[in-house]
């Protein structure tokens, strides 16, 4: 394998994670014959449904399925799809809208402990990087808040480029923008199905576990070391 001098990163579950704050659920109850409070278990399940990179977790009408299938290509479809998921999960509409607002707020996302060190370290070494994400809102403010936005060479976001992982087109866009070869590029992500699509073009691939941020201190550093990139 050629030496790697470019790294592509997924966003959710890779560099950042959406981790619930219990205050987000204050005053919320699940619709049921007898309304019940949203406890920690229910909170975790709702967050899983909001962040799972593939699959679907609730029943869907044809219209809802169409929005879900194309959710990462347009903000209005993203909103429609996730409000449907939250409503089907038992949240009243106004509560669903409030929680959805957290999802699309980049300030709600928590960076993994090694995210800043990895992005800054790669930049200092002259390693080209891009964030390649299936997403329908601008994640750049999350990187600005972490003071690493200038350490990322390109942001290739599905709703801006019109392609969704694992479609090779989104990875090709990233490679073309960076002006690099696939054979010298590593894709790092938490979904073998979606992020692993980069292998079709000849990229190397490293899978990370989207576990809570406090449980994964060096997942990115380990992924890079496994492929011969040391910081």
């Amino acid at each position: 394998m050629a030496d790697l001098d470019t790294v592509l990163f997924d966003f959710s579950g890779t560099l950042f994670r959406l981790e619930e704050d219990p205050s987000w659920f204050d005053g919320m109850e699940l619709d049921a014959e007898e309304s019940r409070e949203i406890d920690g278990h229910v909170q975790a399940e709702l967050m899983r449904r909001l962040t799972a990179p593939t699959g679907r977790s609730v029943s869907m009408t044809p219209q809802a399925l169409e929005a879900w299938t194309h959710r990462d290509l347009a903000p209005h479809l993203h909103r429609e799809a996730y409000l449907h998921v939250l409503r089907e999960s038992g949240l009243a509409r106004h509560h669903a809208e409030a929680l959805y607002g957290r999802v699309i707020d980049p300030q709600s996302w928590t960076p993994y402990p090694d995210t800043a060190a990895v992005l800054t370290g790669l930049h200092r070494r002259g390693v080209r990087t891009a964030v390649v994400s299936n997403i329908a809102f601008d994640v750049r403010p999350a990187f600005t808040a972490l003071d690493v936005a200038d350490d990322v060479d390109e942001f290739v976001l599905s709703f801006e480029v019109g392609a969704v992982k694992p479609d090779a087109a989104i990875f090709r866009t990233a490679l073309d923008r960076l002006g690099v070869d696939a054979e010298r590029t590593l894709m790092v992500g938490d979904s073998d199905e979606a992020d692993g699509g980069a292998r079709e073009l000849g990229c190397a691939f490293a899978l990370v576990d989207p576990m809570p941020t406090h449980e994964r201190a060096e997942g990115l550093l380990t992924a890079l070391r496994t492929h011969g990139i040391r910081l």
Side-chain angles (χ1 to χ4, degrees):
M1 181 177 67
D3 291 337
L4 301 173
D5 52 23
T6 304
V7 185
L8 311 180
F9 292 99
D10 172 50
F11 174 70
S12 174
T14 300
L15 295 174
F16 288 76
R17 188 173 189 269
L18 185 66
E19 297 184 328
E20 69 274 19
D21 183 320
S23 68
W24 296 356
F25 300 89
D26 287 349
M28 292 188 186
E29 293 181 335
L30 290 180
D31 292 336
E33 292 182 7
E34 294 183 6
S35 295
R36 65 187 181 96
E37 196 175 310
I38 297 179
D39 59 19
H41 174 76
V42 175
Q43 290 177 21
E45 175 58 20
L46 288 172
M47 300 306 287
R48 185 194 69 78
R49 294 182 182 190
L50 288 170
T51 57
T54 58
R56 51 192 172 105
S57 53
V58 300
S59 61
M60 294 186 176
T61 64
Q63 179 180 346
L65 181 58
E66 179 72 9
W68 180 258
T69 302
H70 299 96
R71 66 192 183 280
D72 291 319
L73 292 173
H76 73 282
L77 294 176
H78 190 270
R79 176 182 174 82
E80 180 182 337
Y82 281 104
L83 287 180
H84 176 83
V85 168
L86 292 172
R87 290 291 291 119
E88 286 294 308
S89 298
L91 285 183
R93 185 170 186 86
H94 64 291
H95 291 322
E97 289 177 345
L99 188 54
Y100 177 73
R102 300 289 187 179
V103 174
I104 61 173
D105 180 359
Q107 304 304 321
S108 297
W109 292 73
T110 303
Y112 278 93
D114 55 350
T115 292
V118 162
L119 294 176
T120 299
L122 291 173
H123 181 72
R124 287 175 177 168
R125 282 194 52 186
V127 176
R128 302 278 285 167
T129 60
V131 174
V132 183
S133 178
N134 288 350
I135 207 153
F137 60 93
D138 187 3
V139 300
R140 294 174 183 86
F143 293 82
T144 299
L146 194 60
D147 199 26
V148 294
D150 291 339
D151 294 327
V152 179
D153 294 295
E154 293 286 344
F155 287 87
V156 182
L157 311 181
S158 59
F159 82 105
E160 293 181 340
V161 303
V164 175
K165 297 179 291 187
D167 186 342
I170 192 169
F171 302 110
R172 173 53 63 194
T173 297
L175 297 176
D176 288 347
R177 287 186 179 180
L178 293 170
V180 298
D181 296 326
E183 293 73 17
R184 299 177 65 87
T185 299
L186 172 66
M187 175 69 206
V188 181
D190 69 311
S191 171
D192 185 81
E193 179 182 345
D195 302 311
R199 290 176 293 208
E200 181 180 336
L201 295 178
C203 298
F205 174 61
L207 184 67
V208 293
D209 192 326
M211 63 179 60
T213 56
H214 71 275
E215 297 178 13
R216 208 195 79 191
E218 295 189 343
L220 298 171
L221 288 166
T222 299
L224 295 179
R225 282 197 298 267
T226 300
H227 286 80
I229 301 175
R230 295 184 175 274
L231 301 178

